[in-house]
Amino acid sequence: MANATIIEIEDMITVGTLAEQLMLPVGRVIGELMKNGVMATVNERIDFDTATIIVGELGLDVELKKKEAAAPVVATREKTSHSDTAVGRPPVIAVMGHVDHGKTSLLDRIRGANVVKGEAGGITQHISAYQIEHTYNGETRKITFLDTPGHEAFAAIREHGALLTDIVIIVVAADDGVKPQTIEAIRFARKAGVRIVVAMNKMDKEGANPDRVKQELSEQDLLIEDWGGDIVLMPVSAKTGEGVPALLDMLLLVSDVEELKADVAIPGRGLIIEAHVEQGRGPVAHALVESGTVKPGDFVVAGSSYAKIRNLETTDGKPTKAATPSTPVVITGFKTLPEFGDEFTVVKDEKAARAESAATATGKKNAGGRLDMNSSELIRMINRNNKVEEFNIIIKADVQGSLTSVMDSLKALDTDEVAVRVVGSGVGTITENDVHMAHTSDAVIYGFGVALPSGIKQHASRDKVSIRLYKVIYELIDDVREELTKRLAPEIVETDLGRLVVKGIFKTTKTEVICGGEVTKGKLVTPALAKVMRGNEKIADVEVTGLKRGPNDAKEIFESEMCGMSIKTANRVELQEGDHIELFTRQTVARSL
Ligand code: GDP
């Protein structure tokens, strides 16, 4: 890679911008990301490490460099507040570490044993944060855990998990030691400026080797207390539960040292960490209160949405009268679905709520938000994690029997990439309420054997809600299938055109080569993409920008003809006689289910 082109990119880059910088069709980059298990659309951001991996996989002669940020923005949570009304708040904890080192088991163990008991509501929704109670020094106190994703493939998510937290528990398996993702987790926690507590897990295992773990941590400049440093290391076993209470003690001790405080006597504010529509409840948002107090009946603004809080609940479904800092809550009453990562604030009345949310909707607001865009992006990524592309629908049918068969047929359409999400269903005509629900959840309404009253039709067209009526099941299913197909990432298809054997090189600059040779296979056309092959090895990806037959420009050159060829290169390519230039076209092709 001595001659590799160096491209400077930001820490996070959108897929579209990356493709542009690499001069590749965006579908190619999306395709490569998919191959690596990352579903990202053109406007979504990936982090530097991911971009580097992708560039490597694409076989480009390009080296990515991180642009030095002029002023790095690190969103750390407000640790202390100096106002008179500031009181202690529970710590917010995230768990990170190498895959299979026991993050999920540890969170399950902590949660199972200590979670704040609520009426078991049987809610199977993913809970994005929860609180436990733990008694330390005779005092029962709360600890908030962010349920960070188990999906470990890509660094950005972990990085962003850290930005929302006070303490990161880095889980290291005692029998496996420090691994690449452990190192990343350490790096991210440091960058975010949060306290690190190491949980040395799997202590019950025979192969546990604490000394090796300590040694390897020290190699990462993580000096534990035994070794004269200030990093706390707690030996635990998520399997037997051994050491877990001591770990929780330690979290409280560390948070005491950090003096985590927040004001409670001010209007509440915080972050939306998850939002979805629930049948019968409308938009439901999970939020983490950062400061102030939130109460039922309060008016809150989150991005372009607002609510008069109808129900304020703990994350396990228990009604609560007030939520104070570091508390994760469930809020209902939003008029429209707020977005992951929106900052929410309590405002004085409906008028203010309406005005502020409308201002955001028209893009005027967002001054004064304490968390920078990165954090919201991150939360969005956390929530997007592992998710398939969903098509939201509401189904209304004439009778229960047909509703059941429509729903069953729809289920069969789901794949790993795309899925139908039924946000509402029922028997009977389409109502105002259905239209409202479709509007807030960006859903299409399907009616099977039902009528559409004209008033509802008008309402739907005003709200730009699509209502599709069917009388034949398979036609309805076909329509849904078509919608899902549109959501599939396109396939990249390369078609070979022809091959030139280089017989002479006439000009070589950093970005251009002019050469001549003989067509030994197929047909050459211009413009086209090409690979330069030396023996079996590809030495460059290039673009063919011109062909000449004798002195004249040509559009096509056929097998066994001689021709001249102009090539555009991303960086200098030293062609040699005997090299093969293989021309091909690349197309993105829509896929079907
Ligand atoms: P994650 O990928 O970090 O979330 O790891 P998991 O929690 O899924 O754990 C990976 C594997 O290690 C599972 O098979 C767990 O049962 C096992 N495991 C987790 N913690 C312990 C532990 O303390 N002791 C033992 N023996 N096994 C554990």
Side-chain angles (χ1 to χ4, degrees):
M1 286 256 262
N3 287 326
T5 311
I6 294 175
I7 297 180
E8 286 200 353
I9 64 166
E10 307 281 348
D11 239 10
M12 301 288 292
I13 184 167
T14 67
V15 174
T17 314
L18 180 65
E20 208 173 284
Q21 302 252 15
L22 297 173
M23 295 192 295
L24 285 179
V26 91
R28 175 95 192 273
V29 176
I30 291 177
E32 198 59 43
L33 281 163
M34 271 174 58
K35 275 198 232 153
N36 285 278
V38 179
M39 302 296 162
T41 57
V42 58
N43 292 321
E44 276 173 316
R45 288 158 166 245
I46 56 173
D47 72 335
F48 180 83
D49 295 342
T50 309
T52 309
I53 294 169
I54 295 307
V55 167
E57 300 268 319
L58 284 165
L60 301 178
D61 212 5
V62 167
E63 192 181 323
L64 294 184
K65 274 234 161 73
K66 238 181 237 187
K67 230 181 231 175
E68 290 301 324
V73 251
V74 172
T76 45
R77 282 164 57 76
E78 225 164 82
K79 298 223 162 99
T80 48
S81 164
H82 300 295
S83 84
D84 297 342
T85 48
V87 295
R89 61 170 177 82
V92 179
I93 317 280
V95 177
M96 300 183 180
H98 197 72
V99 64
D100 276 348
H101 279 196
K103 295 173 295 301
T104 315
S105 308
L106 187 63
L107 276 167
D108 284 353
R109 162 68 61 180
I110 291 171
R111 181 149 204 262
N114 301 281
V115 77
V116 178
K117 297 271 179 302
E119 280 98 86
I123 298 167
T124 49
Q125 281 293 340
H126 168 72
I127 294 174
S128 40
Y130 54 85
Q131 266 189 334
I132 62 147
E133 278 177 353
H134 178 67
T135 305
Y136 167 62
N137 264 351
E139 197 189 342
T140 300
R141 293 166 56 183
K142 293 190 163 107
I143 306 176
T144 303
F145 282 89
L146 279 181
D147 198 352
T148 49
H151 166 76
E152 287 297 325
F154 284 86
I157 295 166
R158 287 189 296 267
E159 179 165 15
H160 283 104
L163 293 180
L164 301 168
T165 54
D166 301 307
I167 303 172
V168 166
I169 300 180
I170 295 189
V171 176
V172 188
D175 62 339
D176 200 26
V178 171
K179 290 281 164 231
Q181 288 164 312
T182 323
I183 297 172
E184 272 173 2
I186 294 170
R187 184 155 59 87
F188 295 144
R190 281 212 179 107
K191 195 168 153 198
V194 297
R195 280 296 301 253
I196 294 175
V197 169
V198 177
M200 184 162 60
N201 190 32
K202 306 201 185 182
M203 286 301 287
D204 60 290
K205 283 185 90 169
E206 235 172 54
N209 186 347
D211 284 338
R212 185 179 122 204
V213 173
K214 290 174 192 174
Q215 166 68 38
E216 289 175 350
L217 287 170
S218 75
E219 285 162 16
Q220 301 305 320
D221 285 330
L222 218 55
L223 263 198
I224 61 156
E225 287 177 321
D226 292 6
W227 289 42
D230 63 350
I231 298 293
V232 180
L233 176 140
M234 305 298 292
V236 297
S237 165
K239 188 176 174 191
T240 66
E242 182 97 33
V244 173
L247 172 66
L248 299 176
D249 284 353
M250 188 49 70
L251 295 176
L252 290 172
L253 185 70
V254 170
S255 59
D256 286 346
V257 173
E258 295 277 308
E259 290 185 54
L260 304 175
K261 285 192 173 168
D263 226 330
V264 287
I266 55 171
R269 68 177 187 177
L271 276 176
I272 303 292
I273 51 180
E274 194 174 64
H276 59 272
V277 177
E278 257 174 49
Q279 204 180 353
R281 306 221 306 163
V284 175
H286 287 215
L288 182 65
V289 181
E290 296 195 77
S291 58
T293 304
V294 180
K295 300 194 205 74
D298 278 351
F299 285 96
V300 288
V301 178
S304 59
S305 182
Y306 77 93
K308 177 171 191 204
I309 299 181
R310 195 164 60 225
N311 300 300
L312 184 70
E313 297 163 357
T314 60
T315 46
D316 45 352
K318 204 162 85 171
T320 177
K321 295 226 153 34
T324 49
S326 296
T327 311
V329 282
V330 180
I331 297 175
T332 67
F334 278 101
K335 305 286 176 213
T336 54
L337 199 60
E339 282 193 41
F340 312 125
D342 277 344
E343 193 174 345
F344 75 83
T345 39
V346 171
V347 295
K348 69 176 192 312
D349 54 22
E350 177 144 18
K351 196 168 153 216
R354 221 181 254 163
E356 271 202 44
S357 54
T360 309
T362 50
K364 283 186 221 136
K365 214 196 91 182
N366 258 348
R370 187 166 50 75
L371 279 143
D372 60 88
M373 259 313 282
N374 271 346
S375 299
S376 333
E377 287 281 339
L378 289 217
I379 302 165
R380 226 162 277 168
M381 293 180 71
I382 290 172
N383 282 285
R384 184 171 55 84
N385 164 45
N386 261 347
K387 273 204 188 135
V388 294
E389 195 63 41
E390 284 176 337
F391 174 45
N392 290 351
I393 63 169
I394 292 173
I395 312 173
K396 296 303 284 276
D398 49 355
V399 291
Q400 187 61 42
S402 46
L403 182 63
T404 312
S405 37
V406 171
M407 302 269 270
D408 286 348
S409 314
L410 289 176
K411 259 187 230 136
L413 296 177
D414 290 358
T415 72
D416 289 347
E417 288 178 56
V418 288
V420 177
R421 180 161 164 242
V422 180
V423 296
S425 65
V427 172
T429 40
I430 295 161
T431 63
E432 288 273 342
N433 203 19
D434 295 327
V435 174
H436 182 67
M437 177 90 115
H439 184 59
T440 53
S441 57
D442 197 17
V444 169
I445 302 178
Y446 284 92
F448 181 75
V450 295
L452 178 60
S454 68
I456 307 291
K457 191 172 169 183
Q458 274 167 16
H459 182 176
S461 89
R462 199 177 58 229
D463 283 355
K464 302 199 170 49
V465 167
S466 167
I467 300 184
R468 304 175 193 176
L469 302 178
Y470 287 92
K471 289 200 171 64
V472 181
I473 281 202
Y474 70 78
E475 287 178 359
L476 189 159
I477 303 301
D478 274 352
D479 189 88
V480 175
R481 182 181 291 117
E482 204 169 299
E483 288 290 344
L484 289 177
T485 307
K486 283 189 211 155
R487 286 162 175 77
L488 282 174
E491 190 178 4
I492 318 292
V493 176
E494 290 184 354
T495 314
D496 289 340
L497 294 170
R499 181 203 288 156
L500 177 95
V501 175
V502 178
K503 305 253 177 182
I505 298 110
F506 308 123
K507 183 180 166 195
T508 304
T509 69
K510 189 163 180 288
T511 56
E512 193 190 21
V513 179
I514 297 175
C515 64
E518 184 187 349
V519 182
T520 54
K521 194 175 135 192
K523 178 178 85 171
L524 309 190
V525 300
T526 176
L529 297 170
K531 297 175 210 159
V532 179
M533 306 291 295
R534 185 162 299 158
N536 285 330
E537 194 193 346
K538 182 171 83 174
I539 59 166
D541 282 302
V542 299
E543 269 176 58
V544 176
T545 51
L547 293 171
K548 276 190 193 296
R549 182 181 284 112
N552 302 321
D553 285 340
K555 279 268 160 258
E556 296 176 326
I557 308 280
F558 300 96
E559 192 164 334
S560 73
E561 280 191 286
M562 300 290 287
C563 68
M565 180 185 277
S566 309
I567 296 170
K568 195 169 119 200
T569 61
N571 47 282
R572 198 177 174 90
V573 176
E574 297 291 350
L575 271 191
Q576 291 175 5
E577 256 180 59
D579 286 347
H580 289 173
I581 301 180
E582 294 183 356
L583 277 66
F584 62 94
T585 56
R586 188 182 284 147
Q587 285 170 298
T588 47
V589 181
R591 288 153 63 209
S592 55
L593 275 181

